[in-house]
Amino acid sequence: MPDNLVDGNYRIVVLTDGNNRIFERDGENNNLGVAANLTQVTHADLIPTLITAPTSGKSGTDVTLRWSVANQGTTATPSNWQDRVYISDNATFEADRDRLFGELPIPKN
């Protein structure tokens, strides 16, 4: 499924000879197939919540963090994912500025 569809019901449609390369004489009007059933598209929606974070730390040392992730979407997660922890000097994630300092693989739930 394309990853940019919103939740909803869709029909799968197949168009054969979509580039119109095959001459079919009087048969050009039957190149479309439409599924009889609807296909329901749903999504996961992961929401992290930081539970504990240190109030101070020394550069180059370990810190302990705790967070939880809730899926507030309309379906279970379809695969594993990876949580990444960054340190930032503000409350906005900026990939070109913030520093990655940890990753945690999360199994499919």
Side-chain angles (χ1 to χ4, degrees), residues 6 14-15 19-20 32 44 52 58 65 71 75-76 83 91 93 102:
V6 297
V14 176
L15 175 65
N19 58 358
N20 215 15
L32 193 65
T52 61
K58 264 188 203 176
L65 303 170
N71 180 359
T75 193
D83 287 350
F93 176 69

Side-chain angles (χ1 to χ4, degrees), residues 42-99:
T42 58
H43 298 85
D45 182 14
L46 303 179
I47 310 290
T49 301
L50 202 54
I51 297 171
T52 61
T55 56
S56 65
K58 264 188 203 176
S59 184
T61 63
D62 290 340
V63 295
T64 300
L65 303 170
R66 285 188 41 215
W67 69 92
S68 65
V69 178
N71 180 359
Q72 295 180 354
T74 55
T75 193
T77 57
S79 63
N80 301 339
W81 74 88
Q82 190 169 56
D83 287 350
R84 292 183 174 151
V85 178
Y86 292 83
I87 190 162
S88 177
D89 61 1
N90 59 48
T92 302
F93 176 69
E94 298 166 283
D96 60 331
R97 278 184 63 175
D98 298 340
R99 301 273 310 266

